[in-house]
Amino acid sequence: MVFIQLIVVLIFILIGARIGGMGIAYAGATGVIVLGFLGANVNPAKGIPWDVLGVIMAVISCVAALEAAGGLELLVMHSERLLRKHPDRITFYAPLVTFFMTVFCGTGHVAFATLPVIAEVAKEQKVRPSRPLTIAAVASQIGICASPISAATIAMVSILAPDGITYPVIVGITVVVCLIGVLGGAVVASRTGVDLEKDPIYQERKAQGLVTLRGKGKYEIVPRAGTSLIIFASAIVLVMVYAAAITKVSNPPLPRAAAIMAVMMAAGLVIVLCCHVKVDKIATQATFRSGMNAALCVLGVAWLGNTFVESNIATIKAAGSGVIQAHPWLLAVVLFFGSALLYSQAATAITFMPVAAALGLPGSVLLASYAACSGLFFLPTYPTTVAAVGMDDTGTTRLGRFVVDHPFQIPGIATIAIAVVVAYGVTALLL
């Protein structure tokens, strides 16, 4: 019966991945129904990661308020100025911009606003756009694992707590190793593909008049946009300070996840009041729609995975403990391919990390493998990868004939591999 239930889980994950978008959530919940009829213990109280969902919704609602107040556009404007100030280094500066924007906002969807700028600056400098675009998209994905307010990081804090690995340690290590991975991936990306002027597809599109230059972006920065950005940044600092302060407190006034939810939503209130934001606009923002879609996907997939694991944990331990303890690096491989199907770092961590812990892997190995939860680029169907392809009218960021032979693959795998290897070294020294 365990094998049949596993097949059911895989089938519905594949169905969801095939449909994409909200289909992942729908397929996951449908799979839970089938598992229930096959004898699995369906318990929403344990199977659904309520804290993670709450963090996603709270952070996204605040980011949407920031966007409605003009703060996100101001952030993009400053990002474009940075990129145009050093256009010859676009392949290295672009991923740094998307990485830190994701770390700052707790969602990779903020990278959408910068992708057109990256493509434009690359064309102006005769740099093959696929180089900065691919690594920028990857950087926005791995940035989730380094963000102090992302749902994936909060999930990892709970998972690693029994091993005594605290929030400041997790954030400190992940920021460093993920940043090193991004820089290494940028080096690799800078050497992929032929130079722009030598690309035959680019020359063909240029001759047909399909390649255009739009010049510098025009931004309408509304009054108090800067104020909203300051409020948002202050909320993040407050969250980090509080989360670090309660590390050794036995009975804090607010648990860590609850504090993040409350502070981010309170920041949203302050933005609305101080920046005169019409609340009706918040739910119409692109970040709100994409973020809530991500929350539902986590709900469906995590519920499906957790239901299977909770119902068969004894069998899973007996079958996999020997192999995974002998080859702990396999966890990173599982996380990489799992994230490619689940489309979410948080869902991947919630689904696989508790199983790895139950199989006897130490917290240091779990933390070292954490960056591998960002293999969302493996299939070229994730929104940021699709957007990067669409932004490049030169045709250099093009998909291959066999689905996985696309330009995100090599820089992405290099980024994660470097981050994981460095993380193993760092955790071995510090933990």
Side-chain angles (χ1 to χ4, degrees):
M1 186 59 70
V2 175
F3 181 74
I4 295 175
Q5 289 182 11
L6 177 60
I7 294 297
V8 168
V9 170
L10 294 176
I11 287 174
F12 280 97
I13 287 177
L14 290 172
I15 290 173
R18 178 83 176 184
I19 299 173
M22 201 76 75
I24 300 171
Y26 296 154
T30 306
V32 171
I33 297 174
V34 178
L35 289 182
F37 281 100
L38 290 175
N41 180 26
V42 179
N43 184 354
K46 291 185 177 180
I48 299 176
W50 296 110
D51 280 358
V52 171
L53 291 175
V55 168
I56 292 175
M57 291 189 288
V59 171
I60 288 299
S61 70
C62 191
V63 173
L66 175 70
E67 184 177 7
L72 196 56
E73 186 169 16
L74 180 61
L75 190 62
V76 173
M77 184 187 75
H78 287 302
S79 298
E80 178 169 359
R81 287 179 178 176
L82 174 64
L83 294 173
R84 290 190 177 281
K85 188 176 180 180
H86 305 282
D88 54 323
R89 302 173 189 172
I90 184 69
T91 305
F92 295 92
Y93 277 77
L96 290 178
V97 166
T98 57
F99 176 77
F100 283 111
M101 284 182 68
T102 299
V103 171
F104 179 70
C105 295
T107 171
H109 297 295
V110 294
F112 284 117
T114 62
L115 292 177
V117 177
I118 294 169
E120 198 67 20
V121 174
K123 286 188 293 183
E124 290 172 1
Q125 293 299 309
K126 302 298 182 183
V127 173
R128 183 182 179 89
S130 65
R131 293 171 179 171
L133 281 172
T134 53
I135 188 60
V138 170
S140 72
Q141 294 169 14
I142 200 171
I144 291 292
C145 294
S147 175
I149 59 172
S150 73
T153 296
I154 301 309
M156 287 297 293
V157 171
S158 299
I159 294 166
L160 296 177
D163 290 276
I165 303 176
T166 61
Y167 175 85
V169 172
I170 294 171
V171 173
I173 289 177
T174 53
V175 167
V176 172
V177 301
C178 289
L179 179 58
I180 292 173
V182 167
L183 293 174
V187 173
V188 173
S190 68
R191 289 163 169 75
T192 58
V194 300
D195 291 340
L196 182 61
E197 294 296 332
K198 297 179 181 178
D199 190 296
I201 293 182
Y202 164 68
Q203 294 295 346
E204 182 180 340
R205 292 181 62 83
K206 184 179 178 182
Q208 295 174 353
L210 299 176
V211 179
T212 59
L213 292 173
R214 69 174 178 88
K216 292 184 179 180
K218 296 180 180 179
Y219 300 95
E220 295 182 6
I221 306 303
V222 298
R224 302 183 180 86
T227 302
S228 68
L229 205 53
I230 292 172
I231 295 170
F232 185 82
S234 300
I236 293 177
V237 172
L238 179 60
V239 163
M240 293 180 65
V241 171
Y242 181 84
I246 66 170
T247 298
K248 296 184 179 181
V249 177
S250 58
N251 189 25
L254 287 173
R256 185 176 291 104
I260 292 176
M261 290 183 236
V263 170
M264 296 310 295
M265 295 186 76
L269 174 63
V270 176
I271 290 174
V272 168
L273 294 176
C274 294
C275 303
H276 302 170
V277 176
K278 294 182 179 179
V279 290
D280 296 353
K281 292 177 59 179
I282 295 175
T284 64
Q285 302 304 309
T287 50
F288 186 89
R289 294 194 299 269
S290 59
M292 293 307 163
N293 178 75
L296 281 170
C297 290
V298 169
L299 188 156
V301 171
W303 193 8
L304 175 65
N306 289 345
T307 298
F308 170 75
V309 171
E310 289 290 333
S311 301
N312 302 285
I313 189 64
T315 304
I316 293 172
K317 285 182 178 179
S321 59
V323 175
I324 198 70
Q325 287 177 356
H327 307 285
W329 55 269
L330 285 174
L331 174 60
V333 177
V334 171
L335 294 174
F336 178 82
F337 288 107
S339 65
L341 293 176
L342 298 182
Y343 279 22
S344 166
Q345 294 88 341
T348 303
I350 294 165
T351 301
F352 295 105
M353 289 296 192
V355 178
L359 292 177
L361 287 183
S364 58
V365 172
L366 271 60
L367 181 55
S369 304
Y370 176 39
C373 290
S374 299
L376 286 66
F377 59 83
F378 183 73
L379 298 174
T381 51
Y382 193 71
T384 47
T385 56
V386 173
V389 173
M391 297 296 177
D392 183 8
D393 60 7
T394 68
T396 61
T397 314
R398 53 184 178 267
L399 303 181
R401 299 173 61 185
F402 304 103
V403 182
V404 296
D405 56 332
H406 53 75
F408 301 87
Q409 206 72 275
I410 295 176
I413 292 174
T415 298
I416 289 181
I418 292 169
V420 170
V421 169
V422 173
Y424 265 97
V426 172
T427 54
L429 290 173
L430 300 180
L431 302 180

